Amino acid sequence: MKIESLSIDFTDEQKRYLEGFTTGLQISRVGRGLGGGNAGKANAEPTGPDAAHIKAQDKVVASGKKLADQEKFKREEHPFDAYPRLKQQALDNAPPSPADNFRWRYYGLFYVAPAQDSYMCRLRIPNGILKHWQFAGMADLAERLCGPFCHVTTRANLQVREIPPKHTVALVEGIQDLGLCSRGSGADNIRNVTGTPTAGIDPQELIDTREYAREWHYHILNDRSLTGLPRKFNVAFDGAGKIAVLEDTNDIAFSAVEVKDGFGVEPGVWFRLGLGGITGHRDFARDTGIVVKPADATRVADAIVRVFIDLGDRTNRLKARMKYVIDGMGLEKYLALVEEKLGQTFTRVAPEALARRPGFDRMAHIGVHKQKQEGLNWIGVSLSLGKVTCEQMRGLAKIARDLGDGDIRLTVWQNLLISGVRDENAELAVAAIKKIGLAVEASQIRAGLIACTGKAGCKFGASDTKKHAAEIGDWCEPRVNVETPVNIHVTGCHHSCAQHYISDIGLIAAKVPNGEEDDTVEGYHLFAGGGFGLNADVGQEVFHDLKAEDAPKTVEKLLKAYLSHRASPDETFLSFARRHDGEMLRKFAEAEVSS
């Protein structure tokens, strides 16, 4: 459709309305499968699994606003309908168009140019648990089709990198051959479902999260109407085990709690519901005051997501997360709409009705730890910023098969656990892990050192985060003796995959001025005092425009300042950092001497 030139002068707002209206008519015909012969049906009610999404887009267009490009891509051709073209691109070893680069993320494939002329692939592993033969199978696939390594991610997931276009289809189908999948692990979809990594084996857990993560995982996979959301969406289940899942950083947080008797609610273990977590935007999931029966978790999550489908922003990608819907209308109004979807009211309890949850052990993801099962242990294996080679993967798989229960358990701390190791085999398992070049111990600094991919493999990264994080660890570990856990998170961009805001010390990449006009170098803004769980809060900025080359010594001096000025030997870095403002922390650090 073309708007002919008129003698009338329209305002800018009117011109934008007409442009959006015209574009909307064009793409709605495609989105509904309408061709030239079906012009009379252009106003037909959308049907099928994509109907709710099309209706939401129609409202945007009717209001005179422009859909984001990604929304247009989805309407023009649903990614799951475009698989033949992905196969053809693989045959041609051809890179994707911008539209297809978005679409292929529905298969877990991210084309990462200009960082690399290749794809990255991210999997779906509910609760982060896979079998030894699946882990070994991923090693074989990576060695044949990708860079010869895998990364454990901050969503207790695996990703492989350096995938040439010609290998994309073989990889996706090879993953499925292993009983795993990558479907829906990228773009505007519900991402990998995280849960307590020690589920079912943790002495202090309130509930085993595996069943609930698995149910939600398959619910997503088998309902196309839950794909193509306004933006990505995260869900986590925390069973109150020793290792944190960071569920309060997710859009939906299910946290196991014990409801006490005498408060008008059936006593026992429920999930406390949190909504709207997105710590890259400085917000944790808000406690709704609602508790959910574990058996109802999938149904409740489904209703929450469907309200988001109806109301999420489809024009501005920066404001398209559920947090912003809640910010705009208020939490109670959002919850009322969810209750309408559910067809029932929520169960609410006062804070005093909940027993105190057991605390986390911030070193439980490293080393040998007793399981709830008599005579069995889990062993936390330390990986270098999440990286594990194919040879090491096969070695770990053999150890899990021969000396453990056969499971490999991934954590959000970029490492993994081998579970079910008998007492008499623990020493042998540790020796076998060390023989393949890995460790089961780490310093307080090294154990909490996290980094995203950074510019080496991500087009958004402004700095080489994994390289700089390794330099921070290598420099600080021999120079500062910290007796309590310290998390140091290094992230490459505003997406905050390494969650810099919630760590004791967090660094976010920035282009830092280098004296001359328009000359910049890789660097960071440094924050301190972030936390999670009972200590949830966003860190405060301490250093702005810190050159990457200066980061190791700056972190060293900040840690030394903590040791010099802490209130007592038992005071944590978190407590110390929160007792002072950013300016004072900076002065303390600048007064220290690097050794």
Side-chain angles (χ1 to χ4, degrees), residues 45 89 152 181 198 232 286 288 311 330 421 546 584 593:
E45 183 76 5
Q89 288 178 15
V152 178
C181 79
T198 52
K232 71 176 182 178
R286 307 173 201 189
T288 60
L311 301 178
V421 180
L546 177 68
M584 183 57 69
V593 177

Side-chain angles (χ1 to χ4, degrees), residues 135-215:
F135 198 61
M138 281 303 303
D140 293 342
L141 276 179
E143 196 165 65
R144 181 164 58 91
L145 303 173
C146 317
F149 60 90
C150 280
H151 281 132
V152 178
T153 77
T154 54
R155 287 203 65 75
N157 200 355
L158 286 178
Q159 66 181 22
V160 290
R161 310 193 71 87
E162 301 175 14
I163 310 156
K166 64 182 178 181
H167 288 163
T168 51
V169 171
L171 177 66
V172 168
E173 294 179 356
I175 289 169
Q176 292 173 343
D177 286 340
L178 292 171
L180 299 168
C181 79
S182 58
R183 188 178 178 90
S185 61
D188 298 346
N189 296 300
I190 304 166
R191 303 297 183 84
N192 189 50
V193 185
T194 53
T196 298
T198 52
I201 64 173
D202 199 306
Q204 73 173 40
E205 71 181 358
L206 297 178
I207 197 169
D208 182 342
T209 60
R210 289 175 293 183
E211 172 188 347
Y212 309 104
R214 182 182 184 278
E215 181 183 2

